[in-house]
Amino acid sequence: GAGVSQSPRYKVAKRGQDVALRCDPISGHVSLFWYQQALGQGPEFLTYFQNEAQLDKSGLPSDRFFAERPEGSVSTLKIQRTQQEDSAVYLCASSLVSGTLVHEQYFGPGTRLTVT
Amino acid sequence: TQLLEQSPQFLSIQEGENLTVYCNSSSVFSSLQWYRQEPGEGPVLLVTVVTGGEVKKLKRLTFQFGDARKDSSLHITAAQPGDTGLYLCAGSRANAGKSTFGDGTTLTVKP
């Protein structure tokens, strides 16, 4: 596909369960970003990769959140021991270059996580 | 702390009307992007502005970047129901990977 894809699109988890969210970026895009979007708000930065290197994880809300991009392409965001406050849409975006003047990011459709 | 303030938060207008939405910050950004997001989808990039005072036009949409690169506006002429959506601005700084988003303006255009 030409765009960023994410799976699953919807995930319902019971409190305390672990979840894994997948992102397939646009082929050849160097940078990959994860954002969390609560209802009625803009996306909040979680973490950022350049190729396989995680350069910024300052937005991860707790040590229950972990992201990886082992081969510099597909990325997985893992949330351990989910809590109700983790309920949100998790957006993945990719960008052709990084560290430049312009940051044009292309977003996937998101994964809506509901923790019950 | 919200670095980018967008206003108004909600806007409901009739088809054919004009409107302007704003994105303001006390910080300087090297570039600013405008996105449009529809329910159940990710944000879609509309435009990037880089130079202070820059004006870009995209059909009926006009984007302006403030002279000091701290604020921006989006003007829509003759709004159509298809313009309905959440309009987000995002600022970024050179050599910083992440972008900072505002909370958006939810626009509803009634036929």
Side-chain angles (χ1 to χ4, degrees):
Chain A
V4 178
S5 61
Q6 292 187 245
S7 61
R9 289 294 312 274
Y10 303 92
K11 177 69 178 178
V12 178
K14 291 186 178 179
R15 189 164 59 92
Q17 284 185 333
D18 299 348
V19 298
L21 312 180
R22 177 187 169 105
C23 173
D24 285 80
I26 294 172
S27 178
H29 276 198
V30 170
S31 300
L32 185 146
F33 306 82
W34 284 99
Y35 292 86
Q36 181 189 61
Q37 187 174 26
L39 190 64
Q41 296 184 11
E44 292 276 353
F45 171 80
L46 293 177
T47 187
Y48 152 59
F49 292 85
Q50 185 173 324
N51 295 308
E52 69 278 2
Q54 189 173 19
L55 297 187
D56 187 346
K57 54 182 181 179
S58 62
L60 296 177
S62 77
D63 58 7
R64 296 186 295 105
F65 286 71
F66 172 76
E68 60 183 4
R69 194 187 185 197
E71 297 179 357
S73 178
V74 171
S75 177
T76 303
L77 176 67
K78 298 179 179 178
I79 309 173
Q80 296 177 325
R81 304 181 304 281
T82 53
Q83 303 295 317
Q84 284 193 318
E85 60 263 30
D86 299 335
S87 295
V89 174
Y90 290 86
L91 293 166
C92 174
S94 68
S95 178
L96 185 58
V97 294
S98 64
T100 62
L101 192 63
V102 178
H103 293 244
E104 295 183 339
Q105 299 178 25
Y106 297 87
F107 283 82
T111 294
R112 179 176 295 279
L113 173 65
T114 303
V115 181
T116 60
Chain B
T1 301
Q2 186 58 264
L3 294 181
L4 281 170
E5 297 287 342
Q6 290 192 245
S7 61
Q9 185 177 0
F10 299 97
L11 185 58
S12 180
I13 62 172
Q14 292 296 131
E15 182 176 2
E17 293 183 0
N18 302 331
L19 66 114
T20 302
V21 298
Y22 301 91
C23 174
N24 296 304
S25 175
S26 58
S27 302
V28 175
F29 292 101
S30 59
S31 68
L32 192 141
Q33 288 78 41
W34 283 92
Y35 295 83
R36 178 167 161 264
Q37 185 177 24
E38 296 192 43
E41 299 297 330
V44 175
L45 180 67
L46 296 174
V47 78
T48 296
V49 285
V50 177
T51 305
E54 181 177 5
V55 176
K56 281 193 174 179
K57 292 191 175 183
L58 184 66
K59 297 184 179 178
R60 295 177 293 100
L61 278 59
T62 301
F63 304 86
Q64 185 163 9
F65 202 14
D67 290 342
R69 290 186 287 132
K70 293 182 179 181
D71 52 77
S72 181
S73 64
L74 160 59
H75 181 79
I76 301 179
T77 303
Q80 299 176 1
D83 296 327
T84 293
L86 176 67
Y87 288 83
L88 294 160
C89 66
S92 53
R93 298 181 176 86
N95 300 318
K98 64 184 179 184
S99 293
T100 300
F101 282 80
D103 280 341
T105 293
T106 299
L107 172 66
T108 303
V109 182
K110 300 176 182 177

